Amino acid sequence: MPVEKHDLVHEMPESKDAIHHLKSSSTHFAKLFDEYHDIEHEVHRYETGAENTSDDHLENLKKQRLHLKDQLSAMIRDYESSAS
């Protein structure tokens, strides 16, 4: 079974323009986006078997990824509601 990617643009394709705008205009968003991307890449490596780790470590990474996604999603929603 293929491992699903969770990068933000694939998770929220309808918000691609907002993500691009926020990455270039908000250093806070860009920092969180980069952190999310780094964690997503690490999780993907573990899930595909490219590297090994403990279940606890992988679970913690997934929780961090979810927390970052929640923050980024809120920022995207705020931007989209103010832009409309």
Side-chain angles (χ1 to χ4, degrees):
M1 180 167 89
V3 176
E4 187 175 329
K5 298 219 38 140
H6 291 275
D7 62 277
L8 207 55
V9 175
H10 281 93
E11 291 282 311
M12 305 175 74
E14 70 285 354
S15 299
K16 184 178 179 180
D17 292 338
I19 292 168
H20 176 72
H21 174 79
L22 288 165
K23 278 177 43 181
S24 62
S25 65
S26 169
T27 55
H28 181 64
F29 183 90
K31 179 181 176 286
L32 294 177
F33 181 90
D34 288 344
E35 192 175 335
Y36 177 88
H37 177 77
D38 290 345
I39 290 173
E40 165 54 24
H41 185 69
E42 188 174 356
V43 167
H44 190 260
R45 284 194 326 262
Y46 295 137
E47 288 183 333
T48 59
E51 293 183 39
N52 294 319
T53 190
S54 70
D55 290 343
D56 287 341
H57 181 67
L58 182 58
E59 196 62 35
N60 285 333
L61 287 173
K62 288 180 176 183
K63 287 177 184 177
Q64 289 174 20
R65 179 179 66 186
L66 182 59
H67 179 70
L68 287 166
K69 183 180 176 186
D70 288 345
Q71 291 178 69
L72 291 163
S73 296
M75 293 172 79
I76 292 166
R77 280 192 309 275
D78 289 347
Y79 171 77
E80 289 176 335
S81 66
S82 69
S84 57

